[in-house]
Amino acid sequence: AYQRAGLWKVALDIFTEMKHIGVLPNTVTYSAVISALQRGAQWKLALEAFREMPLRGLAPNIVTYTALIGALEQGGRLSLATKIWEQMMQDPEVAPDSVAYTSMI
């Protein structure tokens, strides 16, 4: 709810609290928080969350990648967005869709 409302700080606080009390986030949770951070123009925090995923044994999905690419684009980090795009294209578990392609146009 907070993610959709653009309240990235509240979304991030809930995400942090969740981890502190022992509730394990999944890929959907990470995708939601990265989307919230994208809406809040917080590309560094979005990238940090993305990089935390494999440390927790989680793989990004198309929503995760698209949100991160959007955050990086908004932050003027086009070179890094391109690297993430290339990583996504190499991921056999992820099939880019029209939203993903639009994020790179």
Side-chain angles (χ1 to χ4, degrees):
Y2 289 106
Q3 174 259 352
R4 287 187 299 277
L7 300 172
W8 70 268
K9 288 181 184 178
V10 177
L12 187 59
D13 287 346
I14 292 169
F15 179 69
T16 301
E17 176 185 336
M18 171 184 173
K19 293 187 295 183
H20 278 90
I21 64 170
V23 178
L24 298 176
N26 59 22
T27 299
V28 173
T29 311
Y30 274 94
S31 295
V33 80
I34 291 169
S35 292
L37 294 167
Q38 174 196 6
R39 289 176 187 227
Q42 301 298 312
W43 72 267
K44 288 180 184 177
L45 293 173
L47 184 60
E48 184 179 312
F50 180 82
R51 288 181 172 162
E52 184 179 295
M53 291 180 70
L55 301 176
R56 293 186 173 267
L58 300 171
N61 62 22
I62 190 63
V63 175
T64 317
Y65 278 115
T66 302
L68 179 60
I69 289 167
L72 294 169
E73 178 271 325
Q74 288 172 358
R77 301 297 190 247
L78 298 180
S79 176
L80 189 50
T82 301
K83 287 180 184 177
I84 297 298
W85 173 266
E86 291 167 355
Q87 178 182 335
M88 177 185 71
M89 295 302 283
Q90 297 298 315
D91 188 334
E93 300 297 316
V94 176
D97 59 11
S98 62
V99 176
Y101 275 98
T102 301
S103 72
M104 287 300 292
I105 292 177

